[in-house]
Amino acid sequence: MKTIIAACSQNLSGSRASIQTALRTLLAVPWPSQRDVRAALQLLAVLQWVLSFLLLGTVSLLLLTYLLFTSLWLIPVLYLAWIIFDWDTPEKGGRRLPCLRRWTVWKHFRDYFPVKLVKTHDLSPSHNYIIGSHPHGILCVGAFCNFITGSTGFEELFPGIRSFLTTLAGNFRLPVFREYLMSGGLFPVTRRAIGYLLSQKGTGNAVAIVIGGAAESLSCRPGVTTLILRNRKGFVRMALRHGAFLVPSFSFGENDLFRQVVFEEGSWMRSIQRRFQKMIGFAPCLFYGRGLTSCRSRGLLPYARPITTVVGEPVAVPKVDNPSRELVDRYHELYIRALLKLFHENKAKYGLSESDELHIL
């Protein structure tokens, strides 16, 4: 019996020593610093945003299609009935949730790059506005962060102004994704949706439109500032019909977030991109950014490059129910002049050189 007790005592002593050794080893491991924690949260914030915009709609559609052939078939059927009933909501004001704009995750998203909003002139709440957002880039990070989230202080910089952002109408045909977009304050880039915001919501509304669209994303690359704008005049016509002032904005650094394989005009790959753009509304780009585990690896996350969105001086626009082509051309030219002025006055402040030019096609 004494032998057994002695053996047990030795085992307990050995176990206690092993536990103590393990605890000492664990405590010797350096804990992540506050800086490391912040960096991880910023990375996760950007990751969820990229995955949401690239995969949420497609994955939701595939999942609902799969459930249709299972015992849970009633879920997709009821949701389809809801979409049919709710079909016009995106073009009639949507369902914006202010709490979504105030998510803490958007502050981590902002700080990852970081993104900054700069005001050059006041916007009066007694008017409505169409804000032209340039350039498109790959994923419109600057436009999303500044005009959809409250992380950069748009409402504080422009008191009394409510900002909205338009995107491809096809995005609002994708299940679940449409709800996500509407809750943040995004709307289809259609005449009906923009007209509703500018005519049925009173004054103090600022509708941001990424004017270059998918065509501009094909020319997106670091060191090149090319805008597709010369023949884009629909936004000017909408502004005239509703008496909405035109406001240029430029996101310096937007084109530095990804690397893209740019195919020359006239090549067969560029032709394929153009055809896809006409058929489905967006152009398939071959791009890459950094990976999840290292900034030196390749992946779909944007590089951490500063983005500064400068909002320029509004161009006063009269309300004309049926504006003539000459009138549209006149205010389109005034808008381009205001945009060029904004670019040249701020380019040297935010990462470009004095010799850099803005090419407008």
Side-chain angles (χ1 to χ4, degrees), residues 168 213-215 275-283:
L168 291 173
R275 290 179 183 177
F276 265 90
Q277 176 194 334
K278 291 180 180 179
M279 289 188 296
I280 60 180
F282 68 91

Side-chain angles (χ1 to χ4, degrees), residues 38-50:
R38 285 197 300 268
L41 291 174
Q42 292 166 11
L43 195 62
L44 290 175
V46 174
L47 176 64
Q48 66 82 27
W49 179 78
V50 170

